[in-house]
Amino acid sequence: MLSSVSALAPKANSGAQPQVKLSDLLLKENIYAQFWKINDVQESEVMAESYFKHLSPLVGVYFDFNCLKSEEFLRKVSEQKLFRQHFHWLIYDEKSDFAKFHSLFENFNMAVDADVTYAFPNPAIVNGPQNMSYLTYDVYNNGLYLGGKLNMTGDEEVNCSPKGCERKRYLSTLHEKTRNENRWLLGDITMRVATVTTYLPLTTPPGKILDFLASDDNKNRDAIARFGYAYIMILKDNMGCQYTHNYTNTWSVTEATGGVVGQLGMDQSADISSSPFLISKLRLHYVKPTMPLGNFRQVCIFRTPRNAGIRGEVYLEPFSGRVWLIFSGIILLIGFVLWITFVVEYHQLRLYLNFLPSLLSSCLLALGSACCQGSFLVPKSTGGRMTFFSLSLLTFIIYNYYTSIVVAILLGSPVKSNIKSLAQLAESNLDMALEPIPYTKAYLNFSKLPEIRSLVRNKIQTKKDPKSIWLPITDGVRRVRDEPGFVYVTESYSSYSLIENTYTAKEICDLNEILFRPQEILHEHVNRNSSYIEFIRYKQVRIFESGVHRRLQGIWVRTRLPCYLSSGALVQVGLEYTAPLFIMLACVYGLVFMLLVLEVLWHKYLDNMGLMARIRGAAMGNE
């Protein structure tokens, strides 16, 4: 609904009666009105500042086409692009000079969002002061600067009397649809597209560039640009227009200049971008997003280094420290009870035993039973056997619980690195490379995040040849697979499909991911003041609702890498888990060997002491 009207007419003292009537009608509808004398327009006057500067988003403009300077005024309006959706123009021609109006407006700068109504008295009827008949025409151009032609379509015939006005008939089917639906196809214009390719050099023939962007093989090459190109080609079919391409190899050189952003914004040499890109506060001064197309994820991927740390704690994780202490105490207590049982059986019950086990042997028997290894010596008495049975039952339950947890951990997800953030990665000693993409280079140069500055300082500036940090995606993904601990910074659109085709299931599950930059949404963009914003949005919503958008996303967009190891695939337990067992075994055997040597030396010492005692005894007997 209109909240204000600007009436542009001849001198205020000439024919003021119609202006008074118009003002009364507007005031009854609570619409604010301003009247301007367009015959006083100066050559250097800025129309938007002088006549159309208003806080209301919708302004109605009533214009008298028969003013002395009407043509000059309308040319200035055209130059300043004021025939647009924010201004609802009603241009009245008392002389009904349709040919003059058409010849004047066919070269005016209008676009598909123009809201211009041309009204004039019906020349087929003799009008009198009591009854007047008017014809109205909808006037627009799909885009003069894009090759569009003027379109004037009859809308209504209106009869007016002192009591009011009423519609007599429709002159066309315009009333059956909305304004955008009536202008659904743009077959007479050629839109300028800012077309991005980072894989091919800009010196490549345009035909080869377009063939590459239209193909869907080798999805790791320039995936975002090709996804966006496939999307705008569907948009082209929906709009019915043609495209001309302006090629570039980056989103922007600085945040808001150069590349696609510069063509859409400051240069205004393009109407729409072929590649979606990220929104920023500064870019919103020049471009405007129309439709989100997917998430942009740049990640640091690497396989867990085999020297990332020995995971011996896995064998202690099933029980807490308190449980381990209580269980150890129970084993010692039962070992002591078994020793008492053997003593009683040997001395008091006179049960047949070849020897009396020591306290240490009884504790070892209890430990062997706890480990489900059985025992070569079992008490003969009923009470002793009940003690041994309770020990076996308790340890059987605990042993099965313990082994199931350990097996689940060992055969579960592969061990992950303890490097979880970009800051930790920047301080680590892991080797690193980046995919040579222009927007990655720009991000490294202009980002002020401390972790990015640390990464540049520690990983790039310390290299003898800083250019060696840039590695093609095929080589980078291969080195990540073959060299655990090598870090590669890449974009998920390009790398995920390549990884799925070249990695095994275990290698995929072994990957670690760290976000290189915050995850953001990619949007399709147009110029901030484009006349096609709402029109393109309608088309994109239509594409989204038809399911074509989802199909394109299924082809080009990968949000995560699939890990299917939990579905029954064979899992190998790595050295990081088994090394603690081997080390413990080596330490125990080393200790056993040392004890054996000490025991041999001790027995030799005892034998020597006995020999010396016998020698001394013999010597004393000889005396």
Side-chain angles (χ1 to χ4, degrees):
M1 180 179 292
L2 294 177
S3 59
S4 64
V5 169
S6 293
L8 305 175
K11 295 180 181 179
N13 58 359
S14 175
Q17 187 65 25
Q19 298 175 24
V20 172
K21 292 183 178 180
L22 176 61
S23 178
D24 290 341
L25 289 174
L26 295 173
L27 289 176
K28 289 180 180 179
E29 300 294 333
N30 295 321
I31 297 176
Y32 173 72
Q34 293 176 291
F35 293 87
W36 304 91
K37 297 179 291 182
I38 63 172
N39 287 342
D40 297 338
V41 173
Q42 302 297 321
E43 289 290 334
S44 61
E45 203 155 23
V46 179
M47 314 302 297
E49 293 293 328
S50 301
Y51 302 104
F52 300 100
K53 186 177 181 181
H54 200 280
L55 297 178
S56 174
L58 299 176
V59 178
V61 182
Y62 169 76
F63 184 85
D64 191 340
F65 188 66
N66 303 119
C67 294
L68 180 62
K69 290 188 177 182
S70 61
E71 293 186 23
E72 176 185 344
F73 185 89
L74 289 173
R75 285 193 177 92
K76 286 184 173 292
V77 170
S78 171
E79 291 172 1
Q80 297 178 25
K81 301 179 181 179
L82 296 178
F83 291 119
R84 50 189 309 174
Q85 61 181 346
H86 302 295
F87 304 103
H88 300 263
W89 288 82
L90 174 60
I91 301 177
Y92 178 67
D93 182 7
E94 179 69 29
K95 298 179 181 180
S96 303
D97 195 344
F98 188 91
K100 177 183 177 181
F101 182 91
H102 188 280
S103 63
L104 181 65
F105 269 76
E106 67 179 352
N107 295 317
F108 276 2
N109 192 1
M110 302 175 68
V112 71
D113 66 336
D115 189 357
V116 178
T117 300
Y118 174 51
F120 55 91
N122 189 353
I125 297 177
V126 178
N127 293 310
Q130 298 298 320
N131 291 287
M132 298 287 292
S133 177
Y134 299 97
L135 301 180
T136 63
Y137 276 74
D138 179 51
V139 182
Y140 73 96
N141 191 322
N142 283 333
L144 178 70
Y145 64 98
L146 299 179
K149 305 299 182 182
L150 181 66
N151 189 301
M152 296 182 64
T153 306
D155 188 11
E156 297 176 340
E157 180 182 352
V158 179
N159 289 338
C160 293
S161 65
K163 295 182 180 180
C165 296
E166 60 180 11
R167 182 189 306 109
K168 181 180 179 181
R169 64 188 178 96
Y170 290 108
L171 303 180
S172 66
T173 59
L174 288 179
H175 65 283
E176 297 177 359
K177 301 177 181 178
T178 64
R179 185 180 65 191
N180 286 326
E181 288 175 332
N182 283 315
R183 305 173 186 183
W184 197 242
L185 297 177
L186 309 176
D188 57 347
I189 67 171
T190 301
M191 299 192 76
R192 302 164 300 173
V193 181
T195 306
V196 183
T197 174
T198 61
Y199 178 74
L200 297 178
L202 296 181
T203 55
T204 305
K208 290 187 177 180
I209 293 178
L210 294 180
D211 290 342
F212 166 72
L213 292 175
S215 65
D216 59 359
D217 53 345
N218 295 322
K219 295 184 178 64
N220 56 291
R221 299 174 180 175
D222 222 352
I224 293 180
R226 294 162 73 187
F227 170 50
Y229 181 80
Y231 183 81
I232 65 162
M233 293 308 292
I234 295 173
L235 183 63
K236 171 189 172 183
D237 294 337
N238 275 265
M239 293 192 296
C241 64
Q242 300 299 317
Y243 282 162
T244 180
H245 299 273
N246 300 329
Y247 298 99
T248 181
N249 60 357
T250 183
W251 288 349
S252 64
V253 177
T254 64
E255 190 174 358
T257 62
V260 177
V261 179
Q263 290 186 21
L264 290 176
M266 292 186 176
D267 300 341
Q268 296 190 15
S269 59
D271 304 298
I272 190 171
S273 65
S274 72
S275 171
F277 56 87
L278 301 178
I279 298 174
S280 71
K281 185 176 181 181
L282 183 58
R283 286 176 178 174
L284 287 176
H285 290 90
Y286 306 98
V287 299
K288 194 167 186 177
T290 57
M291 174 68 74
L293 294 188
N295 292 329
F296 178 74
R297 295 182 75 245
Q298 265 193 298
V299 292
C300 307
I301 59 173
F302 61 98
R303 294 184 65 192
T304 305
R306 290 310 175 196
N307 59 351
I310 295 175
R311 302 294 302 274
E313 71 277 4
V314 68
Y315 299 103
L316 300 177
E317 285 178 354
F319 300 138
S320 64
R322 180 177 298 179
V323 173
W324 280 114
L325 288 175
I326 295 174
F327 184 66
S328 300
I330 291 174
I331 296 298
L332 293 175
L333 178 61
I334 293 178
F336 178 76
V337 171
L338 287 176
W339 179 69
I340 295 295
T341 302
F342 289 135
V343 170
V344 172
E345 289 182 357
Y346 186 81
H347 292 287
Q348 302 295 328
L349 300 179
R350 305 294 182 181
L351 295 175
Y352 176 77
L353 285 175
N354 294 329
F355 66 96
L356 178 62
S358 64
L359 178 60
L360 179 59
S361 297
S362 300
C363 292
L364 289 175
L365 290 176
L367 180 61
S369 179
C371 298
C372 293
Q373 299 301 310
S375 175
F376 73 95
L377 187 62
V378 178
K380 300 295 184 177
S381 62
T382 303
R385 292 192 176 189
M386 290 297 296
T387 302
F388 195 83
F389 175 76
S390 64
L391 170 64
S392 300
L393 180 62
L394 171 66
T395 55
F396 174 78
I397 296 173
I398 293 179
Y399 176 80
N400 280 277
Y401 177 80
Y402 174 82
T403 53
S404 62
I405 296 296
V406 171
V407 170
I409 294 175
L410 293 179
L411 299 186
S413 301
V415 60
K416 296 294 184 179
S417 172
N418 56 2
I419 299 176
K420 302 298 183 183
S421 67
L422 193 62
Q424 291 176 325
L425 181 62
E427 299 297 330
S428 70
N429 60 352
L430 300 182
D431 193 14
M432 182 178 186
L434 297 93
E435 184 180 359
I437 304 176
Y439 46 76
T440 302
K441 298 177 182 179
Y443 184 71
L444 290 174
N445 289 331
F446 297 105
S447 176
K448 297 180 180 179
L449 294 176
E451 53 268 27
I452 295 296
R453 302 271 49 91
S454 175
L455 188 76
V456 172
R457 183 173 58 255
N458 297 335
K459 298 295 184 182
I460 299 178
Q461 295 178 351
T462 56
K463 288 186 174 291
K464 295 181 180 179
D465 182 12
K467 292 183 180 179
S468 64
I469 195 72
W470 305 105
L471 195 64
I473 184 170
T474 52
D475 296 337
V477 170
R478 176 182 54 79
R479 286 192 62 183
V480 170
R481 181 192 63 192
D482 298 339
E483 303 175 21
F486 177 78
V487 182
Y488 188 63
V489 179
T490 183
E491 187 274 319
S492 61
Y493 278 75
S494 302
S495 60
Y496 281 5
S497 60
L498 182 61
I499 290 173
E500 288 181 12
N501 293 330
T502 56
Y503 281 41
T504 65
K506 179 183 183 302
E507 289 168 344
I508 291 177
C509 294
D510 194 31
L511 283 176
N512 297 269
E513 279 191 8
I514 298 174
L515 281 178
F516 179 69
R517 60 194 297 172
Q519 181 172 306
E520 298 181 65
I521 298 177
L522 291 168
H523 286 81
E524 191 70 42
H525 288 78
V526 296
N527 180 273
R528 177 179 174 83
N529 299 314
S530 173
S531 300
Y532 302 93
I533 294 176
E534 294 302 322
F535 189 81
I536 289 175
R537 281 178 175 168
Y538 278 119
K539 296 290 187 180
Q540 289 176 331
V541 169
R542 189 75 172 267
I543 294 172
F544 183 85
E545 291 175 344
S546 67
V548 177
H549 180 269
R550 182 182 293 275
R551 177 180 177 274
L552 286 178
Q553 277 194 326
I555 295 174
W556 292 102
V557 180
R558 295 288 186 275
T559 57
R560 64 184 181 87
L561 287 169
C563 179
Y564 300 116
L565 290 186
S566 59
S567 301
L570 178 62
V571 180
Q572 295 178 341
V573 179
L575 192 62
E576 64 272 12
Y577 289 123
T578 56
L581 300 179
F582 298 147
I583 293 174
M584 181 176 66
L585 185 63
C587 292
V588 169
Y589 276 99
L591 179 61
V592 168
F593 180 76
M594 291 177 59
L595 292 176
L596 181 61
V597 171
L598 290 176
E599 191 172 2
V600 170
L601 294 176
W602 174 254
H603 280 284
K604 286 185 176 183
Y605 172 76
L606 292 179
D607 290 342
N608 292 333
M609 290 296 294
L611 179 59
M612 292 179 63
R614 287 195 298 272
I615 293 173
R616 282 197 299 269
M620 291 178 63
N622 293 332
E623 293 178 357

